Amino acid sequence: MHIDNYDCLKLENQLCFPLYAASKEVIRKYKPFLDEISLTYTQYITMLVLWDNNNINVKELGEKLFLDSGTLTPLLKNLEQKGYIKRNRSNEDERNLIVSLTNDGIKLKDKAKDIPSKIGKCINLNENEAFELYKILYKILGNK
């Protein structure tokens, strides 16, 4: 057997590895900014969805975040304990749990508004590269 047959198993030949490592690195860059507002990265992206879609049902929220209910439930419980959200059963269908922002959750948006620009300064991509990467990543996710 020729050793080159196993080149496909080298780490440097895997598409998944630089995606994984880059994701971890970008999330690591968020940490100091998110620490200032006492959120984890996953809590932050959840708040991003809620700031844009207040009063959303849990299933739809999970779909937007690519998170299953086993991950989302404790995350929402934590955000509720922090006073940023509330969870209530839908009046139309009690099987649906609706997530809504509290006044503190709405106010948190103002504290978070500079985070994207701060992150943009930490990532070594120009505007065109960032846009191209964005399009490619969403193509992989199947959304665009």
mmCIF file of all heavy atoms in Angstrom, residues 25-44:
data_model
loop_
_atom_site.group_PDB
_atom_site.id
_atom_site.type_symbol
_atom_site.label_atom_id
_atom_site.label_comp_id
_atom_site.label_asym_id
_atom_site.label_seq_id
_atom_site.Cartn_x
_atom_site.Cartn_y
_atom_site.Cartn_z
ATOM 1 N N GLU A 25 -11.296 30.388 17.780
ATOM 2 C CA GLU A 25 -10.481 31.595 17.901
ATOM 3 C C GLU A 25 -11.352 32.855 17.899
ATOM 4 O O GLU A 25 -11.136 33.775 18.685
ATOM 5 C CB GLU A 25 -9.453 31.652 16.764
ATOM 6 C CG GLU A 25 -8.519 32.831 16.821
ATOM 7 C CD GLU A 25 -7.652 32.889 18.077
ATOM 8 O OE1 GLU A 25 -7.467 31.863 18.765
ATOM 9 O OE2 GLU A 25 -7.149 33.989 18.368
ATOM 10 N N VAL A 26 -12.337 32.899 17.029
ATOM 11 C CA VAL A 26 -13.229 34.060 16.974
ATOM 12 C C VAL A 26 -14.021 34.167 18.280
ATOM 13 O O VAL A 26 -14.126 35.260 18.860
ATOM 14 C CB VAL A 26 -14.169 33.991 15.747
ATOM 15 C CG1 VAL A 26 -15.272 35.034 15.831
ATOM 16 C CG2 VAL A 26 -13.368 34.174 14.460
ATOM 17 N N ILE A 27 -14.535 33.047 18.760
ATOM 18 C CA ILE A 27 -15.289 33.064 20.021
ATOM 19 C C ILE A 27 -14.383 33.497 21.176
ATOM 20 O O ILE A 27 -14.811 34.250 22.053
ATOM 21 C CB ILE A 27 -15.952 31.691 20.271
ATOM 22 C CG1 ILE A 27 -17.075 31.482 19.248
ATOM 23 C CG2 ILE A 27 -16.487 31.588 21.692
ATOM 24 C CD1 ILE A 27 -17.627 30.070 19.200
ATOM 25 N N ARG A 28 -13.132 33.067 21.150
ATOM 26 C CA ARG A 28 -12.178 33.484 22.178
ATOM 27 C C ARG A 28 -11.982 35.004 22.161
ATOM 28 O O ARG A 28 -11.873 35.647 23.201
ATOM 29 C CB ARG A 28 -10.832 32.768 21.975
ATOM 30 C CG ARG A 28 -9.832 33.019 23.099
ATOM 31 C CD ARG A 28 -8.471 32.410 22.792
ATOM 32 N NE ARG A 28 -7.805 33.053 21.674
ATOM 33 C CZ ARG A 28 -7.221 34.256 21.735
ATOM 34 N NH1 ARG A 28 -7.230 34.950 22.840
ATOM 35 N NH2 ARG A 28 -6.624 34.756 20.674
ATOM 36 N N LYS A 29 -11.988 35.594 20.972
ATOM 37 C CA LYS A 29 -11.832 37.049 20.853
ATOM 38 C C LYS A 29 -13.046 37.795 21.415
ATOM 39 O O LYS A 29 -12.931 38.925 21.871
ATOM 40 C CB LYS A 29 -11.582 37.444 19.393
ATOM 41 C CG LYS A 29 -10.204 37.028 18.896
ATOM 42 C CD LYS A 29 -10.001 37.430 17.450
ATOM 43 C CE LYS A 29 -8.681 36.961 16.883
ATOM 44 N NZ LYS A 29 -7.500 37.465 17.549
ATOM 45 N N TYR A 30 -14.209 37.172 21.386
ATOM 46 C CA TYR A 30 -15.416 37.784 21.953
ATOM 47 C C TYR A 30 -15.371 37.848 23.474
ATOM 48 O O TYR A 30 -15.980 38.728 24.072
ATOM 49 C CB TYR A 30 -16.663 36.983 21.552
ATOM 50 C CG TYR A 30 -17.299 37.409 20.259
ATOM 51 C CD1 TYR A 30 -16.934 36.818 19.056
ATOM 52 C CD2 TYR A 30 -18.280 38.382 20.240
ATOM 53 C CE1 TYR A 30 -17.525 37.190 17.868
ATOM 54 C CE2 TYR A 30 -18.882 38.770 19.049
ATOM 55 C CZ TYR A 30 -18.489 38.167 17.868
ATOM 56 O OH TYR A 30 -19.077 38.547 16.697
ATOM 57 N N LYS A 31 -14.701 36.895 24.105
ATOM 58 C CA LYS A 31 -14.789 36.716 25.551
ATOM 59 C C LYS A 31 -14.571 37.990 26.368
ATOM 60 O O LYS A 31 -15.398 38.310 27.225
ATOM 61 C CB LYS A 31 -13.856 35.604 26.022
ATOM 62 C CG LYS A 31 -14.061 35.296 27.502
ATOM 63 C CD LYS A 31 -13.339 34.081 27.934
ATOM 64 C CE LYS A 31 -13.493 33.745 29.392
ATOM 65 N NZ LYS A 31 -14.282 34.541 30.260
ATOM 66 N N PRO A 32 -13.498 38.764 26.161
ATOM 67 C CA PRO A 32 -13.326 39.954 27.006
ATOM 68 C C PRO A 32 -14.454 40.973 26.859
ATOM 69 O O PRO A 32 -14.854 41.613 27.830
ATOM 70 C CB PRO A 32 -11.988 40.547 26.562
ATOM 71 C CG PRO A 32 -11.613 39.867 25.314
ATOM 72 C CD PRO A 32 -12.376 38.589 25.243
ATOM 73 N N PHE A 33 -15.012 41.096 25.656
ATOM 74 C CA PHE A 33 -16.104 42.036 25.431
ATOM 75 C C PHE A 33 -17.399 41.534 26.063
ATOM 76 O O PHE A 33 -18.174 42.315 26.615
ATOM 77 C CB PHE A 33 -16.302 42.292 23.940
ATOM 78 C CG PHE A 33 -15.046 42.733 23.243
ATOM 79 C CD1 PHE A 33 -14.521 42.005 22.188
ATOM 80 C CD2 PHE A 33 -14.353 43.865 23.662
ATOM 81 C CE1 PHE A 33 -13.351 42.400 21.556
ATOM 82 C CE2 PHE A 33 -13.181 44.271 23.033
ATOM 83 C CZ PHE A 33 -12.683 43.526 21.981
ATOM 84 N N LEU A 34 -17.606 40.237 25.992
ATOM 85 C CA LEU A 34 -18.815 39.652 26.575
ATOM 86 C C LEU A 34 -18.730 39.588 28.097
ATOM 87 O O LEU A 34 -19.750 39.705 28.781
ATOM 88 C CB LEU A 34 -19.071 38.263 25.987
ATOM 89 C CG LEU A 34 -19.385 38.260 24.491
ATOM 90 C CD1 LEU A 34 -19.546 36.832 23.989
ATOM 91 C CD2 LEU A 34 -20.613 39.095 24.176
ATOM 92 N N ASP A 35 -17.520 39.435 28.613
ATOM 93 C CA ASP A 35 -17.344 39.456 30.071
ATOM 94 C C ASP A 35 -17.819 40.793 30.647
ATOM 95 O O ASP A 35 -18.368 40.829 31.745
ATOM 96 C CB ASP A 35 -15.881 39.232 30.449
ATOM 97 C CG ASP A 35 -15.451 37.772 30.333
ATOM 98 O OD1 ASP A 35 -16.326 36.898 30.137
ATOM 99 O OD2 ASP A 35 -14.236 37.512 30.425
ATOM 100 N N GLU A 36 -17.625 41.868 29.898
ATOM 101 C CA GLU A 36 -18.041 43.200 30.352
ATOM 102 C C GLU A 36 -19.552 43.299 30.545
ATOM 103 O O GLU A 36 -20.027 44.108 31.342
ATOM 104 C CB GLU A 36 -17.594 44.275 29.355
ATOM 105 C CG GLU A 36 -16.097 44.462 29.290
ATOM 106 C CD GLU A 36 -15.664 45.453 28.208
ATOM 107 O OE1 GLU A 36 -16.535 46.139 27.628
ATOM 108 O OE2 GLU A 36 -14.456 45.535 27.948
ATOM 109 N N ILE A 37 -20.306 42.486 29.803
ATOM 110 C CA ILE A 37 -21.766 42.509 29.942
ATOM 111 C C ILE A 37 -22.287 41.186 30.537
ATOM 112 O O ILE A 37 -23.485 40.908 30.482
ATOM 113 C CB ILE A 37 -22.464 42.862 28.605
ATOM 114 C CG1 ILE A 37 -22.133 41.859 27.499
ATOM 115 C CG2 ILE A 37 -22.117 44.284 28.177
ATOM 116 C CD1 ILE A 37 -22.960 42.041 26.226
ATOM 117 N N SER A 38 -21.387 40.396 31.074
ATOM 118 C CA SER A 38 -21.723 39.148 31.779
ATOM 119 C C SER A 38 -22.520 38.149 30.941
ATOM 120 O O SER A 38 -23.486 37.555 31.415
ATOM 121 C CB SER A 38 -22.477 39.454 33.078
ATOM 122 O OG SER A 38 -21.685 40.236 33.919
ATOM 123 N N LEU A 39 -22.101 37.968 29.690
ATOM 124 C CA LEU A 39 -22.726 36.971 28.830
ATOM 125 C C LEU A 39 -21.676 36.013 28.287
ATOM 126 O O LEU A 39 -20.537 36.417 28.045
ATOM 127 C CB LEU A 39 -23.422 37.622 27.627
ATOM 128 C CG LEU A 39 -24.670 38.452 27.859
ATOM 129 C CD1 LEU A 39 -25.178 39.006 26.528
ATOM 130 C CD2 LEU A 39 -25.761 37.665 28.555
ATOM 131 N N THR A 40 -22.079 34.768 28.078
ATOM 132 C CA THR A 40 -21.249 33.835 27.329
ATOM 133 C C THR A 40 -21.517 34.081 25.839
ATOM 134 O O THR A 40 -22.486 34.776 25.479
ATOM 135 C CB THR A 40 -21.609 32.373 27.662
ATOM 136 O OG1 THR A 40 -22.949 32.127 27.201
ATOM 137 C CG2 THR A 40 -21.478 32.089 29.154
ATOM 138 N N TYR A 41 -20.725 33.467 24.977
ATOM 139 C CA TYR A 41 -20.947 33.643 23.552
ATOM 140 C C TYR A 41 -22.324 33.127 23.145
ATOM 141 O O TYR A 41 -23.054 33.782 22.396
ATOM 142 C CB TYR A 41 -19.847 32.940 22.734
ATOM 143 C CG TYR A 41 -20.086 33.091 21.261
ATOM 144 C CD1 TYR A 41 -19.818 34.296 20.630
ATOM 145 C CD2 TYR A 41 -20.633 32.055 20.518
ATOM 146 C CE1 TYR A 41 -20.076 34.462 19.276
ATOM 147 C CE2 TYR A 41 -20.900 32.210 19.173
ATOM 148 C CZ TYR A 41 -20.617 33.414 18.562
ATOM 149 O OH TYR A 41 -20.883 33.577 17.228
ATOM 150 N N THR A 42 -22.701 31.962 23.651
ATOM 151 C CA THR A 42 -23.997 31.389 23.285
ATOM 152 C C THR A 42 -25.151 32.248 23.802
ATOM 153 O O THR A 42 -26.167 32.419 23.122
ATOM 154 C CB THR A 42 -24.119 29.945 23.796
ATOM 155 O OG1 THR A 42 -22.919 29.241 23.490
ATOM 156 C CG2 THR A 42 -25.259 29.219 23.135
ATOM 157 N N GLN A 43 -24.996 32.814 24.981
ATOM 158 C CA GLN A 43 -26.017 33.742 25.487
ATOM 159 C C GLN A 43 -26.086 34.987 24.605
ATOM 160 O O GLN A 43 -27.176 35.500 24.312
ATOM 161 C CB GLN A 43 -25.704 34.140 26.937
ATOM 162 C CG GLN A 43 -25.879 33.021 27.927
ATOM 163 C CD GLN A 43 -25.315 33.365 29.297
ATOM 164 O OE1 GLN A 43 -24.570 34.329 29.458
ATOM 165 N NE2 GLN A 43 -25.670 32.557 30.288
ATOM 166 N N TYR A 44 -24.927 35.461 24.162
ATOM 167 C CA TYR A 44 -24.864 36.645 23.303
ATOM 168 C C TYR A 44 -25.610 36.418 21.991
ATOM 169 O O TYR A 44 -26.435 37.238 21.588
ATOM 170 C CB TYR A 44 -23.399 37.009 23.048
ATOM 171 C CG TYR A 44 -23.164 38.087 22.029
ATOM 172 C CD1 TYR A 44 -23.540 39.411 22.263
ATOM 173 C CD2 TYR A 44 -22.533 37.796 20.822
ATOM 174 C CE1 TYR A 44 -23.297 40.407 21.324
ATOM 175 C CE2 TYR A 44 -22.287 38.781 19.884
ATOM 176 C CZ TYR A 44 -22.673 40.085 20.135
ATOM 177 O OH TYR A 44 -22.438 41.060 19.202
#
